């Protein structure tokens, strides 16, 4: 049995669809929004439970569970409610790790590239505490992921789980992200504006090193992300904290061109000031160093941004 928290969310729903297509073991999705997002699933052949009953569920099914994949969290980078962040991103993660530890179960969890902050300290996914302590996240969400990384890997050095894997996701885009509202990917936001004949807007640069629209991010297609997760599920002896990105940052301007091209529309954008309340939290450059992932044995190829955007727009968005 594979237990997936955040199973009705963006990455979680794509993972469940992928695992079901591959006839994996019994899947259990843990999420508050299983009914609300039920249209995300092509196959409903899995069990759903609510987060407030997860610990009792784990206890009752201890002999059936092989791995817990913990993706559930408050993912908004602008969330300011500390109590909410602590309850959902810290307490639950710690409790799940402790349960897996006590019951000798495997644990795969979602970290984030938001832990790297402005990137001045690099994008090194070494999990020793000396490296992790150098990172300075720019928001509460990134801070919560940083706390969990340090909590887990400090303890893993002394008394490790059978398998423990942390995945630092970079800028993920793809199907099943409608519920994310303002946290939807820039691909979906641009598509929606084009479809509604609205002006496509990108943030101006407030950093002299970057021209307007030339801010760089490491975008990765969700189809690649779920393949990475599945690889760790299959390779139960691999442990560690790993970056999950393409390793090839591209500009928002280039991404916009790809969306326009796949919508058969003329490229036309305008630049607007980045809102003052998020300027200090804004990342101008991210690039996943995926050498550790490759060294661990993952050989899967990643979509380049142009092909990933094309697949997303033509095979999912235009069909809606």
């Amino acid at each position: 049995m594979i237990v997936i928290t955040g199973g009705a969310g963006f990455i979680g729903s794509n993972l469940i669809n992928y695992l079901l297509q591959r006839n994996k073991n019994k899947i259990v999705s843990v999420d508050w929004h299983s009914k609300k997002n039920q249209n995300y699933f092509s196959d409903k052949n899995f069990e759903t439970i609510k987060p407030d009953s997860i610990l009792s569920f784990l206890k009752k099914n201890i002999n059936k569970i092989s791995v817990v994949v913990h993706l559930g969290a408050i993912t908004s980078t602008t969330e300011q409610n500390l109590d909410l962040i602590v309850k959902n991103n810290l307490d639950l993660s710690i409790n799940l790790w402790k349960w897996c530890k006590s019951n000798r179960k495997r644990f795969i969890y979602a970290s984030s590239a938001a832990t790297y902050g402005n990137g001045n300290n690099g994008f090194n996914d070494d999990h020793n505490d000396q490296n992790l302590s150098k990172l300075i996240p720019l928001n509460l969400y990134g801070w919560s992921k940083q706390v969990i990384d340090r909590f887990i890997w400090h303890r893993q050095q002394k008394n490790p789980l059978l398998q423990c894997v942390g995945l630092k996701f970079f800028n993920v885009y793809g199907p099943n992200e409608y519920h994310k509202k303002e946290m939807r990917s820039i691909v979906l936001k641009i598509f929606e504006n084009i479809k509604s004949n609205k002006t496509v807007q990108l943030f101006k640069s407030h950093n002299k090193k970057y021209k307007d629209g030339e801010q760089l991010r490491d975008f990765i297609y969700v189809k690649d992300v779920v393949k990475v997760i599945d690889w760790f599920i299959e390779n139960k002896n691999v442990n560690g904290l790993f970056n999950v990105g393409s390793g090839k940052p591209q500009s928002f301007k280039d991404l916009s061109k790809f969306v326009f091209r796949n919508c058969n529309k003329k490229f036309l954008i305008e630049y607007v000031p980045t809102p003052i309340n998020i300027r200090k939290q804004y990342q101008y450059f991210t690039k996943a160093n995926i050498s550790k992932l490759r060294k661990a044995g993952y050989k899967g190829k990643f979509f380049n941004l142009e092909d990933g955007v094309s697949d997303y727009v033509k095979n999912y968005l235009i069909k809606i």
Side-chain angles (χ1 to χ4, degrees):
M1 179 186 291
I2 301 173
V3 177
I4 302 172
T5 71
F10 173 36
I11 296 176
S13 61
N14 279 282
L15 177 61
I16 288 175
N17 285 331
Y18 183 78
L19 294 178
L20 290 175
Q21 288 171 4
R22 292 170 63 82
N23 296 314
K24 290 290 185 178
N25 298 334
K26 181 178 180 181
I27 307 296
V28 178
S29 172
V30 185
D31 205 298
W32 292 111
H33 304 296
S34 297
K35 289 185 178 180
K36 180 180 179 182
N37 295 343
Q38 59 182 327
N39 62 316
Y40 283 175
F41 301 98
S42 54
D43 186 339
K44 305 295 195 302
N45 189 29
F46 61 93
E47 186 175 352
T48 63
I49 63 172
K50 293 182 179 180
D52 57 1
S53 62
I54 185 171
L55 293 179
S56 60
F57 176 86
L58 294 176
K59 185 177 181 179
K60 291 178 182 178
N61 295 274
I62 187 171
N63 294 324
K64 300 177 182 178
I65 297 167
S66 59
V67 58
V68 174
V69 181
H70 180 40
L71 304 175
I74 300 296
T75 59
S76 173
T77 57
T78 59
E79 180 60 62
Q80 296 297 311
N81 187 328
L82 180 58
D83 290 339
L84 195 64
I85 289 286
V86 168
K87 179 180 179 180
N88 289 276
N89 294 13
L90 299 185
D91 292 347
L92 180 57
S93 299
I94 291 171
N95 287 334
L96 289 175
W97 181 87
K98 287 182 175 179
W99 184 86
C100 288
K101 177 67 180 172
S102 298
N103 296 284
R104 297 181 60 77
K105 302 297 181 180
R106 298 156 58 202
F107 186 59
I108 299 172
Y109 74 96
S111 181
S112 171
T115 58
Y116 291 118
N118 60 18
N120 286 346
N121 291 303
F123 300 91
N124 176 14
D125 53 6
D126 192 326
H127 57 250
N128 72 70
D129 199 60
Q130 183 178 1
N131 177 63
L132 293 177
S133 66
K134 296 177 182 177
L135 305 182
I136 306 175
L138 300 177
N139 49 61
L140 277 178
Y141 166 68
W143 168 82
S144 71
K145 293 298 185 180
Q146 170 77 339
V147 169
I148 290 302
D149 285 343
R150 295 189 68 182
F151 172 88
I152 287 177
W153 294 103
H154 175 71
R155 286 157 180 78
Q156 279 292 116
Q157 302 301 317
K158 299 179 180 179
N159 195 9
L161 273 70
L162 291 176
Q163 181 188 36
C164 186
V165 174
L167 302 174
K168 291 198 173 195
F169 299 127
F170 278 66
N171 287 73
V172 188
Y173 66 94
N176 298 358
E177 56 172 323
Y178 284 100
H179 66 285
K180 291 173 67 66
K181 299 181 181 179
E182 282 306 307
M183 297 308 297
R184 303 186 315 282
S185 75
I186 188 68
V187 178
L188 178 54
K189 289 180 179 180
I190 291 173
F191 174 83
E192 289 175 331
N193 282 335
I194 293 174
K195 186 177 180 181
S196 301
N197 293 313
K198 295 180 180 179
T199 301
V200 173
Q201 298 178 331
L202 296 179
F203 289 150
K204 289 183 177 181
S205 173
H206 301 276
N207 184 323
K208 294 180 180 179
K209 295 181 180 179
Y210 300 89
K211 295 180 180 179
D212 293 342
E214 297 298 327
Q215 301 95 320
L216 297 168
R217 296 289 176 83
D218 190 327
F219 299 101
I220 181 168
Y221 198 18
V222 72
K223 289 186 176 182
D224 290 326
V225 168
V226 299
K227 289 179 180 179
V228 171
I229 298 173
D230 181 50
W231 185 83
F232 281 106
I233 292 174
E234 289 292 310
N235 290 270
K236 60 184 68 176
N237 294 320
V238 180
N239 291 271
L241 186 60
F242 297 89
N243 286 331
V244 181
S246 68
K248 299 178 180 179
Q250 287 192 250
S251 71
F252 284 99
K253 185 176 181 180
D254 284 343
L255 180 148
S256 301
K257 289 180 179 178
F258 299 150
V259 181
F260 273 93
R261 186 180 303 162
N262 282 282
C263 291
N264 294 314
K265 297 289 186 178
K266 181 180 179 180
F267 179 65
L268 184 63
I269 60 174
E270 70 174 19
Y271 296 104
V272 298
T274 304
I276 294 176
N277 66 314
I278 68 170
R279 286 186 192 179
K280 291 183 179 180
Q281 305 170 17
Y282 192 82
Q283 291 176 304
Y284 278 83
F285 175 84
T286 62
K287 178 184 179 180
N289 179 345
I290 57 173
S291 59
K292 186 177 176 182
L293 179 65
R294 293 304 191 192
K295 187 176 181 180
Y298 185 76
K299 298 180 180 179
K301 294 183 179 180
F302 296 117
F303 278 85
N304 64 48
L305 183 59
E306 185 172 4
D307 291 341
V309 169
S310 178
D311 183 74
Y312 184 21
V313 173
K314 291 182 177 179
N315 295 320
Y316 298 91
L317 298 181
I318 287 178
K319 292 183 177 182
I320 295 175

